[in-house]
Amino acid sequence: DWARNHSGDPEIEAAIQRGEDPGLGLVTKAYNYIHKYGHKSKLMAAAVRNKQDLFSLLGVDYVIAPLKILQSLKESITAPDEKYSYIRRLSPQSAANHNFTAEELTKWDQLSLASAMGPASMQLLAAGLEGYVNQANRVEELLDKIWPPPNV
């Protein structure tokens, strides 16, 4: 969503011109990097919007998908021989075969990474952290209402 609303990044613009979703491309690239170079990290894809996005990410370590997408998968009418024939798009084997450019393999420090990521990194990180703070505050407010329990 951020990429669609903020232009100027040449990599994002090129992906959009090719008809690719920049978010799916980022998840694919991150998965390939993590698994090609043996990092212990796991990748979780979120904000999946439809079944096609989900199918494009088959093989990612974890995925968060809305209930409506999972329900539509359950309700899909598929022939028994096709039901389990989906193609895994992401795997350690496909990651091992992925070729990164020298620029993509540059060693990053925090400043150069933030600079290369551009305004998306700062805006999205700030928004994400603010969301977590808001959720934590809500939980604290709820706990204040029920704690301590009566008659204790």
Side-chain angles (χ1 to χ4, degrees), residues 2-13:
W2 193 96
R4 287 183 188 92
N5 296 324
H6 298 82
S7 61
D9 184 304
E11 190 172 347
I12 291 173
E13 296 294 331

Side-chain angles (χ1 to χ4, degrees), residues 85-96:
S85 65
Y86 298 111
I87 298 169
R88 183 175 179 179
R89 308 267 183 202
L90 302 171
S91 70
Q93 295 79 18
S94 66

Side-chain angles (χ1 to χ4, degrees), residues 2 9-10 103 108-122:
W2 193 96
D9 184 304
E103 183 182 14
W108 299 104
D109 61 18
Q110 186 176 358
L111 183 60
S112 60
L113 177 62
S115 175
M117 295 284 293
S121 66
M122 301 304 280

Side-chain angles (χ1 to χ4, degrees), residues 17-95:
Q17 288 292 331
R18 291 189 304 268
E20 298 172 1
D21 183 289
L24 295 177
L26 178 62
V27 170
T28 299
K29 187 182 286 188
Y31 177 92
N32 287 334
Y33 185 85
I34 289 167
H35 290 279
K36 180 171 185 146
Y37 295 105
H39 296 287
K40 292 183 181 179
S41 298
K42 298 292 183 186
L43 186 65
M44 180 173 8
V48 175
R49 297 214 165 47
N50 54 53
K51 288 191 292 189
Q52 188 56 46
D53 285 356
L54 193 60
F55 294 147
S56 296
L57 297 172
L58 286 177
V60 72
D61 300 312
Y62 302 99
V63 65
I64 297 174
L67 186 58
K68 67 179 182 176
I69 293 175
L70 298 176
Q71 189 68 31
S72 71
L73 287 172
K74 180 182 175 188
E75 295 170 357
S76 294
I77 299 173
T78 307
D81 58 337
E82 295 176 11
K83 189 161 187 117
Y84 301 103
S85 65
Y86 298 111
I87 298 169
R88 183 175 179 179
R89 308 267 183 202
L90 302 171
S91 70
Q93 295 79 18
S94 66

